[in-house]
Amino acid sequence: MTRSSDPAHPLCRRDWLRWSAAGAAAPLLWPHAARSQGRGVLDGGVLRIVVPYAPGGSSDAAARLLAEALGPRLGVPVTVDNRPGAGGRLAAQQLHREKSGANVALLANPATMLIAPLVFKDNGYEPDRDYVPLSQITRYAFGVAVGTGVPVRGFSQLHAWMLAHKDRLSAGVPATGSLPHFVALMLAEQLGLTLPVVGYRGSGPLLDDLIGGHVPLAIDALDALEPLHQEGKLRILAISDDHRAPELPMVPTFKETGLVLSAQGWNVLYAPAWMPGTRARRIAEATSEAMADKVVQARFTAARMVPVASSRDRTAQMLSAYKAQWAPVVRRSGFQP
C-alpha cells in the first residue's frame, strides 16, 4: 500500500500536491456505489466544489478529500474547481451570480463568509442572502512559523528577534483579510510591534516564500504548516488553539506564551441561494453522512485536518456563534483593505 492510499499514514506536502493534481485532472465516478447506498443519483449531473484559493492549501486539501467521499454517495462525478483571487472573494462573487442551474458548491472559510462582508464596502455578495450553509467539514487551529533562516527556536526568542529586527519584519498570511491576517494584527498589538502583513493567494505560495526566505514569519492553518515543520523546512513556534496539538507536543499555545489570544478556523460547504432546495438538501445529507464515516474521518486526520460531521442546523448555529465572537474583533481592528 502506498503512503497516499493509507488512511493511517500522514501525508507529506509533496505527496499531497501530487495526489491533488491527479484528482483535479480526473473526476470521481461511482454511480454504482451511490445506487448501492439506496439514495439515488443527484439530479443535475456533475457537482463542482469551488475552492477560492490556489491548489496546495488546507481548503484545497479538504475539498479534494470531500470530493472523493461524496462521489459514491451522490452518484455523479465530483470535481474541484480552484478559483483564487481577491483573498477568496472572487470565487464567492462569481458563483452566486452564475445562476446556471448546475450543481455547484463553495467550500469557504471565515475570510470569505465572515470577514470580507465586514471590511469591504462593495463586497459583491452577502453570505446570509446569497449562500446557504450545508455542512461544516473541518475545524483547524493556526500556527506561527518561521523559516530556517530566522535563528530562533522558541516564541520568546522570536519576540526578541522581532524587537531587534523591526526594519525586516513582515508576516505572511494565506490571504489578505483572512483570519490569520487578524491573528497577525492581534499578535503585533500584544507584542507592542508594528507588523506589516503580506497577503498571498493561498497557503502554497505563502509557504514557498517562507521556505525560500522571502518572508520571515507566517501565520497559517496548522495542517498546512505541520508537514513542513516535521520535514525541518520551517519551525512552528506557537499555535492558536486552547490546547497543544497531539502531533506537536513541544509547541506551546498562544496562551502558554503569555498572549491573550486564541483562534480557530473552519471550512463549511455552501450552496448558492439559487440552487433548488431539494438539491441543496441532498448534497447536505450526503456531506453529513460522508463526514460521519470513520474511513473518511481517518483520511482527513491523516492529512492533518480535524473532520467535523455536522447537520445544517448545527452548522448554522456554529456560524452564528462564531460571528458573534469575531465580528467585534474585526471591527475594532480598524482594518482597511
Side-chain angles (χ1 to χ4, degrees), residues 11-21 49-66 80-84 107-109 137-138 140-142 173-175 180 200-208 219-228 266-267 300 303-305:
L11 294 171
C12 75
R13 186 165 177 264
R14 291 190 303 271
D15 295 333
W16 180 257
L17 289 173
R18 286 196 296 268
W19 186 64
S20 295
I49 299 177
V50 175
V51 178
Y53 303 107
S58 58
S59 293
D60 177 68
R64 295 181 189 281
L65 282 174
L66 179 61
V80 175
D81 179 5
N82 295 90
R83 297 191 194 179
L107 191 73
N109 60 25
I137 306 302
T138 64
Y140 51 89
F142 304 101
V173 297
Y200 284 78
R201 291 166 64 95
S203 294
L206 164 61
L207 298 182
D208 285 343
I219 300 174
D220 200 358
L222 199 58
D223 59 85
L225 296 171
E226 195 261 335
L228 298 170
W266 39 259
N267 280 298
F300 274 84
R304 298 174 174 89
M305 289 179 276

Side-chain angles (χ1 to χ4, degrees), residues 29-41 71-76:
L29 295 164
W30 291 297
H32 175 74
R35 286 195 295 270
S36 71
Q37 296 188 22
R39 286 188 171 271
V41 175
R73 291 167 172 84
L74 295 175
V76 297

Side-chain angles (χ1 to χ4, degrees), residues 20-333:
S20 295
L28 304 170
L29 295 164
W30 291 297
H32 175 74
R35 286 195 295 270
S36 71
Q37 296 188 22
R39 286 188 171 271
V41 175
L42 178 68
D43 290 341
V46 174
L47 170 63
R48 284 185 296 122
I49 299 177
V50 175
V51 178
Y53 303 107
S58 58
S59 293
D60 177 68
R64 295 181 189 281
L65 282 174
L66 179 61
E68 183 181 21
L70 282 181
R73 291 167 172 84
L74 295 175
V76 297
V78 181
T79 63
V80 175
D81 179 5
N82 295 90
R83 297 191 194 179
R89 293 184 299 121
L90 180 64
Q93 291 167 349
Q94 292 175 342
L95 191 58
H96 88 89
R97 293 171 180 162
E98 282 185 9
K99 298 184 179 180
S100 62
N103 290 325
V104 62
L106 178 71
L107 191 73
N109 60 25
T112 49
M113 295 312 217
L114 169 67
I115 297 170
L118 294 173
V119 301
F120 289 94
K121 293 180 180 179
D122 185 18
N123 187 52
Y125 61 94
E126 173 52 53
D128 293 339
R129 180 194 66 204
D130 298 323
Y131 286 94
V132 177
L134 301 180
S135 183
Q136 184 177 0
I137 306 302
T138 64
R139 64 177 177 82
Y140 51 89
F142 304 101
V144 174
V146 296
T148 56
V150 178
V152 301
R153 294 191 173 275
F155 193 81
S156 60
Q157 293 179 349
L158 175 63
H159 189 192
W161 185 88
M162 293 169 78
L163 289 171
H165 297 84
K166 294 181 180 180
D167 58 328
R168 294 172 55 187
L169 284 187
S170 64
V173 297
T176 299
S178 62
L179 198 63
H181 190 142
F182 290 93
V183 172
L185 295 179
M186 295 171 71
L187 180 68
E189 180 182 15
Q190 294 194 25
L191 295 179
L193 293 163
T194 298
L195 184 61
V197 179
V198 181
Y200 284 78
R201 291 166 64 95
S203 294
L206 164 61
L207 298 182
D208 285 343
D209 266 12
L210 183 68
I211 293 169
H214 303 295
V215 62
L217 175 73
I219 300 174
D220 200 358
L222 199 58
D223 59 85
L225 296 171
E226 195 261 335
L228 298 170
H229 173 91
Q230 301 293 3
E231 293 177 16
K233 294 182 177 180
L234 56 80
R235 289 188 290 273
I236 303 172
L237 303 180
I239 67 171
S240 69
D241 219 339
D242 291 331
H243 305 283
R244 293 196 182 196
E247 63 273 19
L248 297 167
M250 303 305 293
V251 178
T253 67
F254 285 167
K255 289 182 178 180
E256 288 177 317
T257 69
L259 298 172
V260 184
L261 175 59
S262 66
Q264 293 80 37
W266 39 259
N267 280 298
V268 167
L269 191 68
Y270 289 82
W274 50 256
M275 179 179 285
T278 53
R279 290 192 196 177
R281 283 193 295 273
R282 178 75 182 89
I283 297 170
E285 290 168 358
T287 302
S288 295
E289 290 173 1
M291 296 309 301
D293 186 293
K294 298 300 183 185
V295 173
V296 174
Q297 291 179 355
R299 289 172 180 162
F300 274 84
T301 301
R304 298 174 174 89
M305 289 179 276
V306 180
V308 177
S310 181
S311 67
R312 292 180 71 173
D313 287 343
R314 289 200 304 272
T315 299
Q317 291 167 6
M318 181 279 293
L319 292 172
S320 178
Y322 198 90
K323 184 175 181 179
Q325 174 191 1
W326 279 98
V329 173
V330 174
R331 293 190 180 104
R332 202 165 51 241
S333 73

